[in-house]
Amino acid sequence: MHQDPHLRRPWRAALIAFAASAIALGLVAALALGLGLRHEVARTGDPLARAADAAAERIDPARLAPARRLLQDTGGPARLIGPGGKVRLQTGGAGSVWDAPAADWTGALATTGAGGWALRDGAVEARRELSTGAAVVLRRPLAPGAGALGAEVWPVAALVGVLALLAAALTWWLAARAAGRLRRLAAASEAAAAGRPGPVAAEGRGDWRRLGAAVGAHVARTADLQDVAEARVEALGAALAPLAHPAAARTPAGGLIRNEALERLVGGLGVEDRRQVEDAVRSGLSSAGPVSRRLALTDGRMLEMEAWAVPGGRLVAVGERTEQARLAQLRRQVTGSAARHLQAPVSEVQALGSELLGQVPAGSAPTVRRILAAGDRMERLVGQLLRGTENDPRGRPLRMRPIGAAGIAYGLGTAFDRRLRDRGLRLETALPADLPQIRTDPALVHEILSELIANAATFTPRGGTITLGGRALPGGGVELAVSDTGPGVAGDELRLVTERFARGRNAIGFPGAGLGLGVASALAERLGGRLTLEPGPGGRARLELPAVPAPPAEPAEPEPAVNGAAAAAP
């Protein structure tokens, strides 16, 4: 069962909570400090603004003596500035009072939009313009330390940090507790899925308790079903034991049942053959869905392993197919020999037709051309019938080399794109990125998959989809599968449709001679692979090919000696 990796690391949630709390608390603290600073400065700035308004209404810049007395009556540093910016009068305070720079950015931000006054560094200033172009400026010094945040910032920052750490610790504790509960529920579910159900305690409150109770009920239900399935499979094992046909079964808990016939078969084989049969049985019991696999023994016998699912487990049967394989080989030889003997008369008919075409009257020429076209079709049919046999005119030595399935898929997409689009079909690929390379003949693999895709396109309705997929096999091979959304093949026709000239019931009314799957199966055997079909709607053909062996692991470097002592041998 998949677990959320974020819940397994509560410190991530704690870091997020710390950052969010620090930012939120910092903004609140900054707003509070700014409002306090503004309130503190406004107690000096508001009276100063009123005094500046009164002085601006009464002062006359042309009469300096009354203007001086009026500025002195304000009770603090004041100036009368002429239209050109020159100071005409100054009362109260030394020049250093007027040299103070503007407030820092925190003070300027806190007093933005103040009515009638501005904050300077350690002072408040009110300026009023007169109608004559002159200006009256009043300034009041502030108490030391006033008008700036100063030392107040650090205690507030420390408090914000402590509160953020507390929020992070609380979040970590809650996330760790939730992660622990989730891990325990996930472990209980995984154990039940693996056939080892155990008791589950409902922890926490609310939805957590409901989830724990639901998982506990699910595990208990799984245990009951497993007991019933175990009893049924054990009964099935008891029924398999006296059978003469080699068979094996897997119980829901993972136990194995093998009858005496299978033990006798395996006991009478050599080391290589025994390992091959054991691997096939193990693969059939661990796979999903129906599985069929041919096994060629060193003594010439041919076995076939078939596996399928039963309620609560799987069954595997091993049967001997030596006689069937011999008859199939004989049928292929007879068919190939007959087709080879057809080549000469067909070539002769084509040669005589070409010679006759230049001698008959013009009215008879179309008939001769139809004879030549029929000969061409017969020649293509004979060539397809001989494809993959010993008499194959297109046969050549195999050129085995490593190749990736993605390159094969690209070539098939290029070859079939226009043809499938004209029929309203779509070709999709579902190849894993880590699919191993295949050691094979690329041209033959391309031909096999082309036959499979062409066969799927023939029976897939307009608007359907053909999918080329792949997966790595447990035994070190690669499976390339072509599936479609057509009617598929009936179960009783699986062995028939891979024979030449054999066609299923669903093929009635469709063009073709029934050679495509037979050619593909023969070419797959030539490559050392195997072509199998799955029954049911939505045809699925699986091509198994050997994968490129993984490179051997490099030996570990010996550790250097410590304190002059020799390094120990690995």
Side-chain angles (χ1 to χ4, degrees), residues 390-422:
E390 298 178 356
N391 301 311
D392 188 358
R394 295 165 53 192
R396 58 173 177 78
L398 295 178
R399 301 168 185 172
M400 311 293 282
R401 63 183 180 89
I403 186 172
I408 300 176
Y410 178 80
L412 292 170
T414 304
F416 281 90
D417 180 65
R418 180 62 179 273
R419 191 192 317 178
L420 295 179
R421 281 194 292 112
D422 291 344

PDB file of all heavy atoms in Angstrom, residues 390-422:
ATOM      1  N   GLU A 390      11.570 -23.597 -43.860  1.00  0.00           N
ATOM      2  CA  GLU A 390      12.888 -23.911 -44.404  1.00  0.00           C
ATOM      3  C   GLU A 390      13.010 -23.523 -45.869  1.00  0.00           C
ATOM      4  O   GLU A 390      14.119 -23.324 -46.379  1.00  0.00           O
ATOM      5  CB  GLU A 390      13.156 -25.407 -44.247  1.00  0.00           C
ATOM      6  CG  GLU A 390      13.188 -25.874 -42.790  1.00  0.00           C
ATOM      7  CD  GLU A 390      13.398 -27.360 -42.677  1.00  0.00           C
ATOM      8  OE1 GLU A 390      13.439 -28.016 -43.751  1.00  0.00           O
ATOM      9  OE2 GLU A 390      13.523 -27.866 -41.551  1.00  0.00           O
ATOM     10  N   ASN A 391      11.891 -23.441 -46.569  1.00  0.00           N
ATOM     11  CA  ASN A 391      11.909 -23.101 -47.999  1.00  0.00           C
ATOM     12  C   ASN A 391      11.605 -21.619 -48.242  1.00  0.00           C
ATOM     13  O   ASN A 391      11.202 -21.253 -49.346  1.00  0.00           O
ATOM     14  CB  ASN A 391      10.879 -23.955 -48.736  1.00  0.00           C
ATOM     15  CG  ASN A 391      11.140 -25.438 -48.578  1.00  0.00           C
ATOM     16  OD1 ASN A 391      12.265 -25.895 -48.777  1.00  0.00           O
ATOM     17  ND2 ASN A 391      10.109 -26.192 -48.197  1.00  0.00           N
ATOM     18  N   ASP A 392      11.770 -20.797 -47.252  1.00  0.00           N
ATOM     19  CA  ASP A 392      11.459 -19.370 -47.359  1.00  0.00           C
ATOM     20  C   ASP A 392      12.398 -18.706 -48.362  1.00  0.00           C
ATOM     21  O   ASP A 392      13.622 -18.691 -48.158  1.00  0.00           O
ATOM     22  CB  ASP A 392      11.602 -18.714 -45.978  1.00  0.00           C
ATOM     23  CG  ASP A 392      11.114 -17.276 -45.979  1.00  0.00           C
ATOM     24  OD1 ASP A 392      10.699 -16.781 -47.051  1.00  0.00           O
ATOM     25  OD2 ASP A 392      11.151 -16.650 -44.908  1.00  0.00           O
ATOM     26  N   PRO A 393      11.842 -18.165 -49.482  1.00  0.00           N
ATOM     27  CA  PRO A 393      12.741 -17.504 -50.452  1.00  0.00           C
ATOM     28  C   PRO A 393      13.341 -16.213 -49.895  1.00  0.00           C
ATOM     29  O   PRO A 393      14.365 -15.752 -50.402  1.00  0.00           O
ATOM     30  CB  PRO A 393      11.811 -17.233 -51.647  1.00  0.00           C
ATOM     31  CG  PRO A 393      10.440 -17.185 -51.065  1.00  0.00           C
ATOM     32  CD  PRO A 393      10.447 -18.157 -49.914  1.00  0.00           C
ATOM     33  N   ARG A 394      12.724 -15.630 -48.873  1.00  0.00           N
ATOM     34  CA  ARG A 394      13.252 -14.400 -48.280  1.00  0.00           C
ATOM     35  C   ARG A 394      14.093 -14.678 -47.043  1.00  0.00           C
ATOM     36  O   ARG A 394      14.500 -13.762 -46.331  1.00  0.00           O
ATOM     37  CB  ARG A 394      12.092 -13.485 -47.881  1.00  0.00           C
ATOM     38  CG  ARG A 394      11.278 -12.981 -49.063  1.00  0.00           C
ATOM     39  CD  ARG A 394       9.967 -12.398 -48.602  1.00  0.00           C
ATOM     40  NE  ARG A 394      10.145 -11.382 -47.580  1.00  0.00           N
ATOM     41  CZ  ARG A 394       9.150 -10.877 -46.846  1.00  0.00           C
ATOM     42  NH1 ARG A 394       7.914 -11.321 -47.029  1.00  0.00           N
ATOM     43  NH2 ARG A 394       9.388  -9.960 -45.945  1.00  0.00           N
ATOM     44  N   GLY A 395      14.340 -15.961 -46.767  1.00  0.00           N
ATOM     45  CA  GLY A 395      15.111 -16.307 -45.583  1.00  0.00           C
ATOM     46  C   GLY A 395      16.559 -15.840 -45.701  1.00  0.00           C
ATOM     47  O   GLY A 395      17.159 -15.813 -46.778  1.00  0.00           O
ATOM     48  N   ARG A 396      17.117 -15.457 -44.585  1.00  0.00           N
ATOM     49  CA  ARG A 396      18.506 -14.997 -44.508  1.00  0.00           C
ATOM     50  C   ARG A 396      19.016 -15.291 -43.103  1.00  0.00           C
ATOM     51  O   ARG A 396      18.234 -15.527 -42.180  1.00  0.00           O
ATOM     52  CB  ARG A 396      18.610 -13.506 -44.793  1.00  0.00           C
ATOM     53  CG  ARG A 396      17.773 -12.650 -43.858  1.00  0.00           C
ATOM     54  CD  ARG A 396      18.045 -11.178 -44.066  1.00  0.00           C
ATOM     55  NE  ARG A 396      17.190 -10.341 -43.232  1.00  0.00           N
ATOM     56  CZ  ARG A 396      17.386 -10.113 -41.946  1.00  0.00           C
ATOM     57  NH1 ARG A 396      18.419 -10.690 -41.333  1.00  0.00           N
ATOM     58  NH2 ARG A 396      16.582  -9.338 -41.255  1.00  0.00           N
ATOM     59  N   PRO A 397      20.329 -15.291 -42.926  1.00  0.00           N
ATOM     60  CA  PRO A 397      20.852 -15.520 -41.559  1.00  0.00           C
ATOM     61  C   PRO A 397      20.372 -14.427 -40.612  1.00  0.00           C
ATOM     62  O   PRO A 397      20.214 -13.263 -40.989  1.00  0.00           O
ATOM     63  CB  PRO A 397      22.378 -15.471 -41.754  1.00  0.00           C
ATOM     64  CG  PRO A 397      22.596 -15.754 -43.207  1.00  0.00           C
ATOM     65  CD  PRO A 397      21.401 -15.199 -43.920  1.00  0.00           C
ATOM     66  N   LEU A 398      20.124 -14.824 -39.377  1.00  0.00           N
ATOM     67  CA  LEU A 398      19.667 -13.861 -38.379  1.00  0.00           C
ATOM     68  C   LEU A 398      20.784 -12.870 -38.055  1.00  0.00           C
ATOM     69  O   LEU A 398      21.959 -13.240 -37.968  1.00  0.00           O
ATOM     70  CB  LEU A 398      19.230 -14.579 -37.107  1.00  0.00           C
ATOM     71  CG  LEU A 398      18.012 -15.505 -37.224  1.00  0.00           C
ATOM     72  CD1 LEU A 398      17.732 -16.186 -35.894  1.00  0.00           C
ATOM     73  CD2 LEU A 398      16.795 -14.719 -37.679  1.00  0.00           C
ATOM     74  N   ARG A 399      20.400 -11.625 -37.865  1.00  0.00           N
ATOM     75  CA  ARG A 399      21.340 -10.562 -37.487  1.00  0.00           C
ATOM     76  C   ARG A 399      20.940 -10.057 -36.108  1.00  0.00           C
ATOM     77  O   ARG A 399      20.216  -9.083 -35.974  1.00  0.00           O
ATOM     78  CB  ARG A 399      21.311  -9.431 -38.510  1.00  0.00           C
ATOM     79  CG  ARG A 399      21.678  -9.900 -39.917  1.00  0.00           C
ATOM     80  CD  ARG A 399      21.361  -8.855 -40.961  1.00  0.00           C
ATOM     81  NE  ARG A 399      21.605  -9.351 -42.303  1.00  0.00           N
ATOM     82  CZ  ARG A 399      21.267  -8.713 -43.421  1.00  0.00           C
ATOM     83  NH1 ARG A 399      20.644  -7.546 -43.345  1.00  0.00           N
ATOM     84  NH2 ARG A 399      21.541  -9.231 -44.604  1.00  0.00           N
ATOM     85  N   MET A 400      21.402 -10.768 -35.096  1.00  0.00           N
ATOM     86  CA  MET A 400      21.005 -10.476 -33.724  1.00  0.00           C
ATOM     87  C   MET A 400      21.848  -9.325 -33.178  1.00  0.00           C
ATOM     88  O   MET A 400      23.077  -9.335 -33.290  1.00  0.00           O
ATOM     89  CB  MET A 400      21.174 -11.707 -32.840  1.00  0.00           C
ATOM     90  CG  MET A 400      20.555 -12.973 -33.420  1.00  0.00           C
ATOM     91  SD  MET A 400      18.755 -12.888 -33.492  1.00  0.00           S
ATOM     92  CE  MET A 400      18.359 -13.219 -31.787  1.00  0.00           C
ATOM     93  N   ARG A 401      21.178  -8.377 -32.567  1.00  0.00           N
ATOM     94  CA  ARG A 401      21.871  -7.256 -31.929  1.00  0.00           C
ATOM     95  C   ARG A 401      20.925  -6.627 -30.907  1.00  0.00           C
ATOM     96  O   ARG A 401      19.710  -6.772 -31.011  1.00  0.00           O
ATOM     97  CB  ARG A 401      22.326  -6.219 -32.946  1.00  0.00           C
ATOM     98  CG  ARG A 401      21.205  -5.536 -33.703  1.00  0.00           C
ATOM     99  CD  ARG A 401      21.765  -4.577 -34.732  1.00  0.00           C
ATOM    100  NE  ARG A 401      20.717  -3.895 -35.486  1.00  0.00           N
ATOM    101  CZ  ARG A 401      20.160  -2.755 -35.125  1.00  0.00           C
ATOM    102  NH1 ARG A 401      20.533  -2.161 -33.986  1.00  0.00           N
ATOM    103  NH2 ARG A 401      19.229  -2.179 -35.866  1.00  0.00           N
ATOM    104  N   PRO A 402      21.461  -5.923 -29.938  1.00  0.00           N
ATOM    105  CA  PRO A 402      20.594  -5.264 -28.943  1.00  0.00           C
ATOM    106  C   PRO A 402      19.828  -4.102 -29.571  1.00  0.00           C
ATOM    107  O   PRO A 402      20.372  -3.336 -30.377  1.00  0.00           O
ATOM    108  CB  PRO A 402      21.581  -4.767 -27.865  1.00  0.00           C
ATOM    109  CG  PRO A 402      22.854  -5.511 -28.126  1.00  0.00           C
ATOM    110  CD  PRO A 402      22.889  -5.804 -29.589  1.00  0.00           C
ATOM    111  N   ILE A 403      18.576  -3.972 -29.198  1.00  0.00           N
ATOM    112  CA  ILE A 403      17.752  -2.871 -29.706  1.00  0.00           C
ATOM    113  C   ILE A 403      16.696  -2.548 -28.655  1.00  0.00           C
ATOM    114  O   ILE A 403      16.235  -3.428 -27.920  1.00  0.00           O
ATOM    115  CB  ILE A 403      17.089  -3.237 -31.046  1.00  0.00           C
ATOM    116  CG1 ILE A 403      16.345  -2.037 -31.634  1.00  0.00           C
ATOM    117  CG2 ILE A 403      16.180  -4.432 -30.898  1.00  0.00           C
ATOM    118  CD1 ILE A 403      15.815  -2.257 -33.033  1.00  0.00           C
ATOM    119  N   GLY A 404      16.344  -1.291 -28.564  1.00  0.00           N
ATOM    120  CA  GLY A 404      15.321  -0.856 -27.626  1.00  0.00           C
ATOM    121  C   GLY A 404      13.928  -0.953 -28.229  1.00  0.00           C
ATOM    122  O   GLY A 404      13.735  -0.786 -29.440  1.00  0.00           O
ATOM    123  N   ALA A 405      12.953  -1.239 -27.379  1.00  0.00           N
ATOM    124  CA  ALA A 405      11.574  -1.351 -27.852  1.00  0.00           C
ATOM    125  C   ALA A 405      11.048  -0.003 -28.350  1.00  0.00           C
ATOM    126  O   ALA A 405      10.169   0.042 -29.215  1.00  0.00           O
ATOM    127  CB  ALA A 405      10.671  -1.889 -26.747  1.00  0.00           C
ATOM    128  N   ALA A 406      11.574   1.111 -27.818  1.00  0.00           N
ATOM    129  CA  ALA A 406      11.105   2.421 -28.255  1.00  0.00           C
ATOM    130  C   ALA A 406      11.429   2.662 -29.727  1.00  0.00           C
ATOM    131  O   ALA A 406      10.632   3.248 -30.466  1.00  0.00           O
ATOM    132  CB  ALA A 406      11.728   3.521 -27.390  1.00  0.00           C
ATOM    133  N   GLY A 407      12.612   2.208 -30.180  1.00  0.00           N
ATOM    134  CA  GLY A 407      12.953   2.359 -31.593  1.00  0.00           C
ATOM    135  C   GLY A 407      12.042   1.553 -32.496  1.00  0.00           C
ATOM    136  O   GLY A 407      11.647   2.003 -33.575  1.00  0.00           O
ATOM    137  N   ILE A 408      11.681   0.335 -32.060  1.00  0.00           N
ATOM    138  CA  ILE A 408      10.746  -0.479 -32.842  1.00  0.00           C
ATOM    139  C   ILE A 408       9.385   0.203 -32.912  1.00  0.00           C
ATOM    140  O   ILE A 408       8.742   0.252 -33.966  1.00  0.00           O
ATOM    141  CB  ILE A 408      10.633  -1.879 -32.220  1.00  0.00           C
ATOM    142  CG1 ILE A 408      11.999  -2.570 -32.213  1.00  0.00           C
ATOM    143  CG2 ILE A 408       9.606  -2.710 -32.966  1.00  0.00           C
ATOM    144  CD1 ILE A 408      11.999  -3.917 -31.517  1.00  0.00           C
ATOM    145  N   ALA A 409       8.926   0.751 -31.765  1.00  0.00           N
ATOM    146  CA  ALA A 409       7.627   1.420 -31.745  1.00  0.00           C
ATOM    147  C   ALA A 409       7.620   2.639 -32.656  1.00  0.00           C
ATOM    148  O   ALA A 409       6.619   2.923 -33.326  1.00  0.00           O
ATOM    149  CB  ALA A 409       7.279   1.824 -30.314  1.00  0.00           C
ATOM    150  N   TYR A 410       8.734   3.375 -32.700  1.00  0.00           N
ATOM    151  CA  TYR A 410       8.792   4.548 -33.582  1.00  0.00           C
ATOM    152  C   TYR A 410       8.672   4.138 -35.045  1.00  0.00           C
ATOM    153  O   TYR A 410       7.944   4.772 -35.827  1.00  0.00           O
ATOM    154  CB  TYR A 410      10.103   5.295 -33.346  1.00  0.00           C
ATOM    155  CG  TYR A 410      10.280   6.493 -34.254  1.00  0.00           C
ATOM    156  CD1 TYR A 410       9.649   7.701 -33.979  1.00  0.00           C
ATOM    157  CD2 TYR A 410      11.082   6.412 -35.388  1.00  0.00           C
ATOM    158  CE1 TYR A 410       9.807   8.796 -34.808  1.00  0.00           C
ATOM    159  CE2 TYR A 410      11.241   7.497 -36.227  1.00  0.00           C
ATOM    160  CZ  TYR A 410      10.604   8.694 -35.931  1.00  0.00           C
ATOM    161  OH  TYR A 410      10.759   9.774 -36.767  1.00  0.00           O
ATOM    162  N   GLY A 411       9.385   3.063 -35.435  1.00  0.00           N
ATOM    163  CA  GLY A 411       9.283   2.608 -36.820  1.00  0.00           C
ATOM    164  C   GLY A 411       7.888   2.131 -37.171  1.00  0.00           C
ATOM    165  O   GLY A 411       7.387   2.399 -38.272  1.00  0.00           O
ATOM    166  N   LEU A 412       7.220   1.442 -36.251  1.00  0.00           N
ATOM    167  CA  LEU A 412       5.855   0.982 -36.520  1.00  0.00           C
ATOM    168  C   LEU A 412       4.889   2.153 -36.623  1.00  0.00           C
ATOM    169  O   LEU A 412       3.982   2.150 -37.467  1.00  0.00           O
ATOM    170  CB  LEU A 412       5.405   0.036 -35.405  1.00  0.00           C
ATOM    171  CG  LEU A 412       6.132  -1.317 -35.339  1.00  0.00           C
ATOM    172  CD1 LEU A 412       5.777  -2.039 -34.061  1.00  0.00           C
ATOM    173  CD2 LEU A 412       5.770  -2.174 -36.547  1.00  0.00           C
ATOM    174  N   GLY A 413       5.061   3.158 -35.744  1.00  0.00           N
ATOM    175  CA  GLY A 413       4.186   4.327 -35.830  1.00  0.00           C
ATOM    176  C   GLY A 413       4.334   5.049 -37.152  1.00  0.00           C
ATOM    177  O   GLY A 413       3.352   5.493 -37.752  1.00  0.00           O
ATOM    178  N   THR A 414       5.579   5.149 -37.638  1.00  0.00           N
ATOM    179  CA  THR A 414       5.801   5.798 -38.936  1.00  0.00           C
ATOM    180  C   THR A 414       5.170   5.002 -40.073  1.00  0.00           C
ATOM    181  O   THR A 414       4.593   5.569 -41.002  1.00  0.00           O
ATOM    182  CB  THR A 414       7.313   5.966 -39.169  1.00  0.00           C
ATOM    183  OG1 THR A 414       7.886   6.696 -38.085  1.00  0.00           O
ATOM    184  CG2 THR A 414       7.578   6.688 -40.472  1.00  0.00           C
ATOM    185  N   ALA A 415       5.257   3.652 -39.991  1.00  0.00           N
ATOM    186  CA  ALA A 415       4.751   2.823 -41.088  1.00  0.00           C
ATOM    187  C   ALA A 415       3.226   2.756 -41.122  1.00  0.00           C
ATOM    188  O   ALA A 415       2.621   2.675 -42.197  1.00  0.00           O
ATOM    189  CB  ALA A 415       5.331   1.406 -40.964  1.00  0.00           C
ATOM    190  N   PHE A 416       2.581   2.803 -39.953  1.00  0.00           N
ATOM    191  CA  PHE A 416       1.127   2.591 -39.890  1.00  0.00           C
ATOM    192  C   PHE A 416       0.327   3.863 -39.670  1.00  0.00           C
ATOM    193  O   PHE A 416      -0.902   3.797 -39.666  1.00  0.00           O
ATOM    194  CB  PHE A 416       0.799   1.609 -38.756  1.00  0.00           C
ATOM    195  CG  PHE A 416       1.028   0.172 -39.110  1.00  0.00           C
ATOM    196  CD1 PHE A 416       2.251  -0.424 -38.872  1.00  0.00           C
ATOM    197  CD2 PHE A 416       0.022  -0.577 -39.690  1.00  0.00           C
ATOM    198  CE1 PHE A 416       2.474  -1.748 -39.195  1.00  0.00           C
ATOM    199  CE2 PHE A 416       0.229  -1.904 -40.013  1.00  0.00           C
ATOM    200  CZ  PHE A 416       1.459  -2.493 -39.771  1.00  0.00           C
ATOM    201  N   ASP A 417       0.974   4.991 -39.480  1.00  0.00           N
ATOM    202  CA  ASP A 417       0.235   6.206 -39.111  1.00  0.00           C
ATOM    203  C   ASP A 417      -0.823   6.563 -40.151  1.00  0.00           C
ATOM    204  O   ASP A 417      -2.006   6.699 -39.832  1.00  0.00           O
ATOM    205  CB  ASP A 417       1.219   7.367 -38.927  1.00  0.00           C
ATOM    206  CG  ASP A 417       0.498   8.649 -38.546  1.00  0.00           C
ATOM    207  OD1 ASP A 417      -0.084   8.695 -37.454  1.00  0.00           O
ATOM    208  OD2 ASP A 417       0.500   9.600 -39.358  1.00  0.00           O
ATOM    209  N   ARG A 418      -0.422   6.722 -41.395  1.00  0.00           N
ATOM    210  CA  ARG A 418      -1.361   7.142 -42.437  1.00  0.00           C
ATOM    211  C   ARG A 418      -2.434   6.078 -42.678  1.00  0.00           C
ATOM    212  O   ARG A 418      -3.633   6.388 -42.801  1.00  0.00           O
ATOM    213  CB  ARG A 418      -0.591   7.420 -43.732  1.00  0.00           C
ATOM    214  CG  ARG A 418      -1.466   7.858 -44.891  1.00  0.00           C
ATOM    215  CD  ARG A 418      -2.171   9.167 -44.583  1.00  0.00           C
ATOM    216  NE  ARG A 418      -2.992   9.599 -45.692  1.00  0.00           N
ATOM    217  CZ  ARG A 418      -2.540  10.341 -46.715  1.00  0.00           C
ATOM    218  NH1 ARG A 418      -1.269  10.716 -46.740  1.00  0.00           N
ATOM    219  NH2 ARG A 418      -3.346  10.718 -47.689  1.00  0.00           N
ATOM    220  N   ARG A 419      -2.026   4.800 -42.692  1.00  0.00           N
ATOM    221  CA  ARG A 419      -2.972   3.737 -42.986  1.00  0.00           C
ATOM    222  C   ARG A 419      -4.063   3.635 -41.906  1.00  0.00           C
ATOM    223  O   ARG A 419      -5.243   3.459 -42.205  1.00  0.00           O
ATOM    224  CB  ARG A 419      -2.228   2.408 -43.093  1.00  0.00           C
ATOM    225  CG  ARG A 419      -3.059   1.277 -43.660  1.00  0.00           C
ATOM    226  CD  ARG A 419      -2.390  -0.074 -43.487  1.00  0.00           C
ATOM    227  NE  ARG A 419      -0.964  -0.039 -43.792  1.00  0.00           N
ATOM    228  CZ  ARG A 419      -0.167  -1.086 -43.666  1.00  0.00           C
ATOM    229  NH1 ARG A 419      -0.672  -2.246 -43.239  1.00  0.00           N
ATOM    230  NH2 ARG A 419       1.115  -0.993 -43.938  1.00  0.00           N
ATOM    231  N   LEU A 420      -3.655   3.755 -40.631  1.00  0.00           N
ATOM    232  CA  LEU A 420      -4.636   3.654 -39.552  1.00  0.00           C
ATOM    233  C   LEU A 420      -5.514   4.887 -39.477  1.00  0.00           C
ATOM    234  O   LEU A 420      -6.705   4.800 -39.174  1.00  0.00           O
ATOM    235  CB  LEU A 420      -3.919   3.427 -38.220  1.00  0.00           C
ATOM    236  CG  LEU A 420      -3.161   2.098 -38.091  1.00  0.00           C
ATOM    237  CD1 LEU A 420      -2.483   2.005 -36.735  1.00  0.00           C
ATOM    238  CD2 LEU A 420      -4.095   0.922 -38.286  1.00  0.00           C
ATOM    239  N   ARG A 421      -4.945   6.070 -39.713  1.00  0.00           N
ATOM    240  CA  ARG A 421      -5.752   7.291 -39.672  1.00  0.00           C
ATOM    241  C   ARG A 421      -6.819   7.279 -40.748  1.00  0.00           C
ATOM    242  O   ARG A 421      -7.930   7.775 -40.542  1.00  0.00           O
ATOM    243  CB  ARG A 421      -4.848   8.524 -39.807  1.00  0.00           C
ATOM    244  CG  ARG A 421      -4.150   8.880 -38.512  1.00  0.00           C
ATOM    245  CD  ARG A 421      -3.525  10.261 -38.543  1.00  0.00           C
ATOM    246  NE  ARG A 421      -2.403  10.332 -39.456  1.00  0.00           N
ATOM    247  CZ  ARG A 421      -2.389  11.031 -40.577  1.00  0.00           C
ATOM    248  NH1 ARG A 421      -3.456  11.714 -40.948  1.00  0.00           N
ATOM    249  NH2 ARG A 421      -1.318  11.045 -41.357  1.00  0.00           N
ATOM    250  N   ASP A 422      -6.515   6.724 -41.916  1.00  0.00           N
ATOM    251  CA  ASP A 422      -7.521   6.636 -42.975  1.00  0.00           C
ATOM    252  C   ASP A 422      -8.684   5.735 -42.572  1.00  0.00           C
ATOM    253  O   ASP A 422      -9.808   5.915 -43.057  1.00  0.00           O
ATOM    254  CB  ASP A 422      -6.871   6.107 -44.259  1.00  0.00           C
ATOM    255  CG  ASP A 422      -5.908   7.122 -44.866  1.00  0.00           C
ATOM    256  OD1 ASP A 422      -5.988   8.306 -44.480  1.00  0.00           O
ATOM    257  OD2 ASP A 422      -5.066   6.732 -45.693  1.00  0.00           O
TER     258      ASP A 422
END
